[in-house]
Amino acid sequence: MLKHLLFYHLIPQNLSHFTLLFIALSTICITAQNSNQPKTMSSSSSSSPETTIAPPTTTATSDSKYEAVINSLTPLLTTLPPTLTPYTLLHDPTITTQLTTLLRLPDSGAGDNNLCRWLYDTFQTTIPDLQLVVLRYVPLITGLYLTRTIAKQRPLAGFEAVLLALYAHETTSRDGKAITVTLPDLANPSLYHETNATVKNVATELNVAVLSPGLDPHGTVRSTRRARIVGVALELYYGKIRDMQLGSKLEFCEFCVVWAGQDDGEIGEVLKGGGGVEGRKIPLPWELLQPCVRILGHCLMGEDRSRSKDHQVLYEKACRACRCLYARALQEIDPKAILATGSLLKLIEMEIEACDSDPTELRNTRVISL
């Protein structure tokens, strides 16, 4: 329940409590509906020592696209799992470790980089399971791209091609329109009560909160539109975050620390193998920070820490990323950033207090709770 409180701080603050309660309940219902939808990917295993291609059950055109993706990926890897399916491409550590290592090489991101070309072609297949594989590496791509671009002031055509493919996909699917939420206005008569008041023009009385602004087509990444294009890629990642691997979320939290400009020993570990790029503070406008806050909110409240030690590590890294971004917001005196990141810290404090408090203990307070 606490993770939905973050939505309160991402909408206009001049709304009534009834309106905010209506939005919160709507958000919870939508989340519950999405969580009940079955996943389309399933794991498969094989005892054969040879690598076999197991395409998903789709049309012949999709099967040929899948085989082309596998055939172009095979030369890039030194070790292959026994069976290649969309699930193994997304979750198998043998593949993800090798691809992550290749992306962290100093020459990765160039226009002639084979891995970037493979990621671009894979996403263009329009097969949802294969597009999830590309989205898994969005935190690493955006982290390396922003850090290297700001530090070296040179274009990275390979990374930009992948980001533009994600941006173009979202622009087409949304028809360039903004994502908005229509909020009811208590000044209008209620549907459940009789009134003699004159009905006002509903079209002019509605409050609209913009969750994601409209999208304009872009064929290149300019410095003035870089944050928006990267932000849209992170929005796509957040939309499928429940299907993402834990290591992908850890990479995102680590890069948030780097983006905040916290110069400590961990930055060297994050960027290890990244071509000697030093951690450097990057611009964090709201169109880039907003999806970051949403992803961090999931890392804090959307994972069950009791499942494994890795989930506890994710929670700790997300907490540290929130503190770093909050310190950055205070330094720049950015009201929106202070409110959003401060809300995450408040959620962390509330959870700690709930774990430490004893419900049977009487509190020493002058406030009577009914």
Side-chain angles (χ1 to χ4, degrees):
M1 181 63 180
L2 291 177
K3 62 181 178 182
H4 299 292
L5 296 178
L6 175 62
F7 187 76
Y8 172 85
H9 301 284
L10 301 182
I11 60 179
Q13 299 300 304
N14 57 349
L15 305 176
S16 64
H17 294 286
F18 176 80
T19 301
L20 297 175
L21 178 60
F22 173 81
I23 300 171
L25 293 177
S26 301
T27 306
I28 295 173
C29 293
I30 294 173
T31 304
Q33 182 180 3
N34 293 336
S35 63
N36 291 331
Q37 294 179 355
K39 298 181 180 180
T40 59
M41 296 168 53
S42 60
S43 175
S44 61
S45 59
S46 174
S47 58
S48 175
E50 298 181 357
T51 301
T52 58
I53 300 177
T57 306
T58 53
T59 61
T61 304
S62 299
D63 291 346
S64 61
K65 291 181 179 179
Y66 180 79
E67 292 180 1
V69 167
I70 296 301
N71 293 333
S72 58
L73 175 64
T74 302
L76 302 178
L77 303 178
T78 57
T79 305
L80 294 174
T83 303
L84 289 176
T85 64
Y87 185 89
T88 57
L89 289 178
L90 183 61
H91 295 283
D92 191 282
T94 304
I95 295 179
T96 57
T97 301
Q98 294 181 75
L99 294 182
T100 299
T101 302
L102 291 175
L103 285 174
R104 290 182 178 272
L105 293 177
D107 59 346
S108 66
D112 57 350
N113 185 265
N114 293 327
L115 180 55
C116 291
R117 183 176 304 172
W118 179 82
L119 292 171
Y120 176 86
D121 294 338
T122 300
F123 193 84
Q124 295 290 5
T125 60
T126 67
I127 300 177
D129 290 348
L130 293 179
Q131 289 181 332
L132 282 179
V133 178
V134 180
L135 291 177
R136 181 257 179 262
Y137 299 97
V138 164
L140 185 57
I141 292 174
T142 56
L144 293 174
Y145 171 71
L146 291 176
T147 307
R148 292 177 179 178
T149 301
I150 299 300
K152 295 187 176 182
Q153 297 295 328
R154 64 181 179 87
L156 297 171
F159 286 157
E160 291 179 352
V162 178
L163 294 175
L164 285 173
L166 300 176
Y167 182 86
H169 170 79
E170 184 68 2
T171 303
T172 303
S173 61
R174 287 167 45 178
D175 196 19
K177 298 180 180 179
I179 299 178
T180 60
V181 176
T182 302
L183 311 176
D185 189 353
L186 293 181
N188 295 324
S190 171
L191 297 175
Y192 306 100
H193 299 82
E194 296 181 358
T195 178
N196 296 325
T198 304
V199 179
K200 300 179 180 179
N201 187 0
V202 179
T204 59
E205 295 294 333
L206 293 178
N207 295 320
V208 178
V210 179
L211 299 181
S212 179
L215 302 176
D216 298 325
H218 293 290
T220 59
V221 180
R222 298 182 180 180
S223 58
T224 56
R225 301 301 302 165
R226 181 183 295 131
R228 181 59 179 148
I229 293 174
V230 174
V232 170
L234 292 176
E235 289 177 3
L236 278 174
Y237 176 83
Y238 175 73
K240 301 294 182 180
I241 195 169
R242 67 188 181 96
D243 298 319
M244 293 296 108
Q245 190 187 38
L246 187 65
S248 178
K249 302 172 187 178
L250 289 171
E251 293 168 354
F252 175 79
C253 294
E254 292 170 350
F255 273 109
C256 283
V257 176
V258 178
W259 295 342
Q262 302 298 315
D263 190 10
D264 55 26
E266 287 193 14
I267 291 181
E269 294 296 328
V270 174
L271 296 174
K272 187 176 181 180
V277 178
E278 298 179 358
R280 179 175 177 179
K281 181 170 63 175
I282 68 170
L284 289 175
W286 180 244
E287 54 193 359
L288 177 58
L289 182 62
Q290 186 182 32
C292 293
V293 171
R294 294 175 181 172
I295 296 173
L296 289 176
H298 168 85
C299 296
L300 289 173
M301 304 297 173
E303 297 287 349
D304 184 6
R305 286 180 284 162
S306 62
R307 292 173 57 186
S308 65
K309 293 183 179 179
D310 292 336
H311 288 81
Q312 178 64 29
V313 172
L314 174 63
Y315 175 82
E316 294 173 355
K317 287 186 176 293
C319 291
R320 184 171 185 273
C322 293
R323 295 188 184 98
C324 293
L325 291 175
Y326 181 69
R328 165 74 178 272
L330 290 177
Q331 182 183 7
E332 297 184 349
I333 318 179
D334 187 342
K336 277 189 176 181
I338 293 174
L339 184 60
T341 55
S343 301
L344 293 178
L345 294 181
K346 186 61 177 179
L347 291 176
I348 297 173
E349 294 175 1
M350 292 172 61
E351 186 174 9
I352 294 175
E353 293 176 358
C355 295
D356 294 340
S357 63
D358 185 359
T360 62
E361 181 181 355
L362 296 178
R363 298 183 180 181
N364 185 14
T365 177
R366 297 182 179 180
V367 180
I368 300 177
S369 300
L370 300 179

